[in-house]
Amino acid sequence: MDFSFEAISAEDYDRQRSSYEPLTDALRRLIDVGIHTEVDDATVQEALRHLEAAEDLLGRVQRSGRSTLRHADTGRPVAWANPAVGLRNAIAPPMIINHEPDGSCWSEFTLGPAYEGPPGWVHGGIGALVLDHILGEVASGGLTQPRFTGTITLRYHRGTHLGPVRAEAFVERSEGVKTFARGYLKDDEGVTVEADGVFITPAWARDAG
Amino acid sequence: MDFSFEAISAEDYDRQRSSYEPLTDALRRLIDVGIHTEVDDATVQEALRHLEAAEDLLGRVQRSGRSTLRHADTGRPVAWANPAVGLRNAIAPPMIINHEPDGSCWSEFTLGPAYEGPPGWVHGGIGALVLDHILGEVASGGLTQPRFTGTITLRYHRGTHLGPVRAEAFVERSEGVKTFARGYLKDDEGVTVEADGVFITPAWARDAG
């Protein structure tokens, strides 16, 4: 596993973000529109030609080598591609993680129709995805230390409404190579899912501690 | 919560699938290409115009009302929109769930670069998403009975390689309103994540049993 990072300057980060973020946002809108479209086949074919043209354009230059960058100023991984927080991954809501001085994390974001399980409700597995991510963030000091999920338990109190949600997490305690983290997913009516995770420092990173 | 379904004939299902599935596949390719593109800003703008044209075309007729359909022949929900199995949701890999006569389920599918967490490895939360889904499928008899995740525990044995994976699940036992399910995620080298879940029949569905 390669955990070395390439630094990206604040200027390059801002330039890439302002260029590529509108693209990811357009793809997010297309995912939503694509799920519910009922246009006829001729219109589908026309849309498909546009999508193929866009794919051809964007495929002309693809990043090679390392995909993981570290922001030169904050020291944090940029994780453009991450399916929970990646600003360049249309699968991600994306969560923007806020790190508090006490080490805790929180994120407020929206889970729209693409994350639906039972009609009107967030898919239970999406709750698991966002909680696994934010517990991992808090356990690893904002992904600055390699820590992997060992075990995570999710307790579903009730369904989570589609729409604006909040995820939060904090470290309960650390014991040797284990970090115990806890977190919550909340919708507009309060806590919906509770998570407890044990995160492990991998053997190759232990002598560094 | 509305669990009534609208039936879709086998013919309509096949027609919609053959028309809309290529669209979702094109979006999946665009998600991947979009993550790693390094084209210049003028090319991004050109691609963006194509995406906006496609959005405009597909937005002309949108499904209204019920989004959940039941296949007239199999009796199973179609779940076009589901973020794990939805054939029309570009977020979904998609998992195609196979139901065995003994009630167990399995699915073989590919987790490509859009599902990456640590470099080269599947995001732990994506493992949680696919296992929550397949345990829910097996606990609910292929989503034919309303059962919701009560608790799920995921044990990560090691990282899951990006690429082809297999998820499988079976019911261990049932006790009153609780169904206990177990499952595994495997990559080309064996089991990577183990899941145990308790699924609950909601109060409103209990008198029907």
Side-chain angles (χ1 to χ4, degrees):
Chain A
M1 217 177 286
D2 180 5
F3 266 83
S4 56
F5 289 89
E6 204 176 312
I8 181 171
S9 69
E11 194 190 349
D12 260 7
Y13 174 86
D14 292 345
R15 187 190 55 74
Q16 288 191 32
R17 180 168 174 175
S18 72
S19 182
Y20 298 125
E21 201 170 23
L23 203 60
T24 321
D25 288 341
L27 283 174
R28 291 193 180 101
R29 292 195 305 272
L30 268 165
I31 291 171
D32 285 351
V33 167
I35 291 171
H36 297 291
T37 190
E38 288 198 324
V39 295
D40 60 25
D41 199 54
T43 311
V44 169
Q45 293 307 317
E46 202 183 335
L48 208 44
R49 281 192 294 275
H50 282 293
L51 298 183
E52 283 160 0
E55 185 187 346
D56 175 61
L57 287 163
L58 299 173
R60 286 182 189 167
V61 190
Q62 289 272 295
R63 180 202 304 283
S64 55
R66 286 244 158 80
S67 60
T68 309
L69 299 168
R70 193 178 285 281
H71 194 285
D73 290 1
T74 66
R76 291 220 161 93
V78 167
W80 293 123
N82 189 287
V85 298
L87 292 179
R88 295 190 53 186
N89 186 340
I91 287 180
M95 303 170 78
I96 309 281
I97 310 283
N98 299 279
H99 295 269
E100 295 295 329
D102 67 1
S104 67
C105 292
W106 59 273
S107 179
E108 292 181 347
F109 53 102
T110 296
L111 293 173
Y115 303 99
E116 186 178 65
W121 303 85
V122 173
H123 190 294
I126 294 292
L129 165 64
V130 304
L131 282 168
D132 172 82
H133 189 88
I134 201 162
L135 266 67
E137 283 261 355
V138 86
S140 65
L143 306 180
T144 60
Q145 298 139 339
R147 296 264 158 78
F148 296 98
T149 319
T151 307
I152 188 167
T153 298
L154 301 139
R155 276 174 295 277
Y156 292 78
H157 297 288
R158 58 174 179 82
T160 306
H161 295 291
L162 284 182
V165 296
R166 178 184 167 98
E168 49 192 51
F170 60 94
V171 170
E172 277 197 324
R173 66 185 196 282
S174 295
E175 283 173 18
V177 300
K178 294 184 179 175
T179 304
F180 296 81
R182 164 168 281 220
Y184 303 95
L185 182 65
K186 298 174 174 178
D187 66 9
D188 51 351
E189 289 175 11
V191 174
T192 60
V193 193
E194 201 185 321
D196 279 292
V198 185
F199 293 79
I200 314 284
T201 307
W204 56 263
R206 286 173 199 172
D207 40 358
Chain B
M1 217 178 285
D2 181 3
F3 267 82
S4 56
F5 289 89
E6 203 177 311
I8 181 171
S9 70
E11 193 190 351
D12 260 6
Y13 175 85
D14 292 344
R15 186 190 57 73
Q16 287 192 32
R17 182 169 174 174
S18 72
S19 182
Y20 298 125
E21 201 170 24
L23 203 59
T24 321
D25 288 340
L27 283 174
R28 290 193 182 100
R29 291 194 307 271
L30 268 166
I31 291 171
D32 285 351
V33 166
I35 291 171
H36 296 291
T37 191
E38 288 198 324
V39 296
D40 61 24
D41 199 55
T43 312
V44 169
Q45 293 308 317
E46 203 183 334
L48 209 43
R49 282 192 293 276
H50 283 293
L51 298 183
E52 283 160 1
E55 185 187 347
D56 175 62
L57 287 164
L58 299 173
R60 286 183 190 167
V61 191
Q62 290 272 297
R63 181 203 303 281
S64 56
R66 280 239 166 82
S67 58
T68 308
L69 299 167
R70 192 179 285 280
H71 194 284
D73 290 2
T74 67
R76 290 221 161 92
V78 167
W80 293 122
N82 190 287
V85 299
L87 293 178
R88 295 190 52 186
N89 186 339
I91 286 180
M95 303 170 79
I96 309 281
I97 310 281
N98 298 279
H99 295 268
E100 295 295 329
D102 67 1
S104 68
C105 292
W106 59 274
S107 178
E108 292 181 347
F109 54 102
T110 296
L111 293 173
Y115 303 99
E116 186 178 64
W121 302 86
V122 174
H123 190 294
I126 295 293
L129 165 63
V130 303
L131 283 168
D132 171 81
H133 189 88
I134 201 163
L135 265 68
E137 283 261 354
V138 86
S140 65
L143 307 181
T144 60
Q145 298 139 338
R147 296 264 157 77
F148 296 98
T149 318
T151 308
I152 188 167
T153 298
L154 301 138
R155 276 174 296 277
Y156 292 78
H157 297 290
R158 58 174 178 81
T160 306
H161 295 290
L162 284 183
V165 297
R166 178 184 167 99
E168 49 192 50
F170 60 94
V171 170
E172 278 198 323
R173 66 186 196 282
S174 296
E175 283 172 19
V177 300
K178 294 184 179 176
T179 304
F180 296 81
R182 164 168 280 221
Y184 303 95
L185 182 64
K186 298 175 174 177
D187 66 9
D188 50 351
E189 289 175 9
V191 173
T192 59
V193 193
E194 201 184 320
D196 281 292
V198 185
F199 293 80
I200 314 284
T201 306
W204 56 262
R206 286 175 199 172
D207 42 357

